[in-house]
Amino acid sequence: GAGVSQSPSNKVTEKGKDVELRCDPISGHTALYWYRQSLGQGLEFLIYFQGNSAPDKSGLPSDRFSAERTGGSVSTLTIQRTQQEDSAVYLCASSLRGGGSGANVLTFGAGSRLTVL
Amino acid sequence: GQNIDQPTEMTATEGAIVQINCTYQTSGFNGLFWYQQHAGEAPTFLSYNVLDGLEEKGRFSSFLSRSKGYSYLLLKELQMKDSASYLCAGSPPGDYKLSFGAGTTVTVRA
């Protein structure tokens, strides 16, 4: 697609429920990133995909969080047994290839705002 | 470490100039990025500095000093639409993820 698409844009759930957040990156972008942004905070790195592989999952806050990417395209971030502290905006970004370089600008989606009651 | 520090808030008047500083402690970044984020929207790329010095791009300029671990974003001829959060970010050589500062919220007043 023309940009990075994320769904849902807003999700309100009850504590203890599972949620799935979806990211559809720009076509042809091999690298995909998930970040989390809490109110008034900076972006917190969660996980990075190069193709379908996730070389580094160290940013995931707990084992309740998991992510997968299929076909080198769409990614799903799953949060099990949600807690109130999971409330945040979950941002997905993609880039042509991995690595922080000028030729590798991240394009972000509009985010999925998660509210856990 | 990769601590990235920038001021929390800045206020300026329409038509004025504002400079947003960013300092970082790290063994070295590939370069330094600046992103703009309007409230409720996605961050968008503004600039990237890989070499020391000033890069000018219209009303926005960005400066980098790698030896000092210091960068700034200069916004000139401020417009109301420039009210947003400005995020400083970088990644060490060989790393694949950007580390972001907490962002500086700039408010432009009439």
Side-chain angles (χ1 to χ4, degrees), chain A residues 33 35 37 40-43 45 48 55-56 58 91 98-102 104-106 108-110 113, chain B residues 30-31 33 35 37 40-45 48 87 91-92 94-103:
Chain A
Y33 308 76
Y35 284 84
Q37 187 172 33
Q41 303 295 313
L43 275 67
F45 169 79
Y48 156 77
D56 186 353
S58 63
L91 291 163
S101 73
N104 196 38
V105 172
L106 267 60
F108 284 86
R113 179 177 297 278
Chain B
N30 276 338
F33 293 82
Y35 280 77
Q37 185 178 26
E41 298 183 11
T44 55
F45 170 77
Y48 172 70
L87 306 168
S91 65
D95 203 346
Y96 40 77
K97 60 182 181 286
L98 284 183
S99 296
F100 284 83

Side-chain angles (χ1 to χ4, degrees), chain A residues 53-76:
Chain A
S53 301
D56 186 353
K57 305 177 183 180
S58 63
L60 295 177
S62 74
D63 59 8
R64 296 186 295 104
F65 287 70
S66 63
E68 64 175 14
R69 188 180 186 194
T70 54
S73 180
V74 172
S75 175
T76 302

Side-chain angles (χ1 to χ4, degrees), chain A residues 38-98:
Chain A
S38 301
L39 189 64
Q41 303 295 313
L43 275 67
E44 174 191 4
F45 169 79
L46 298 179
I47 189 169
Y48 156 77
F49 286 93
Q50 183 60 47
N52 291 336
S53 301
D56 186 353
K57 305 177 183 180
S58 63
L60 295 177
S62 74
D63 59 8
R64 296 186 295 104
F65 287 70
S66 63
E68 64 175 14
R69 188 180 186 194
T70 54
S73 180
V74 172
S75 175
T76 302
L77 177 68
T78 301
I79 309 172
Q80 295 179 308
R81 305 181 302 282
T82 52
Q83 303 293 312
Q84 288 182 333
E85 61 262 28
D86 299 335
S87 296
V89 176
Y90 290 81
L91 291 163
C92 177
S94 69
S95 64
L96 198 57
R97 61 179 184 273

Side-chain angles (χ1 to χ4, degrees), chain B residues 12-16 77-80 108-110:
Chain B
T13 305
E14 199 173 13
E77 300 168 22
L78 281 171
Q79 302 176 10
M80 300 298 286
V108 181
R109 293 181 178 169

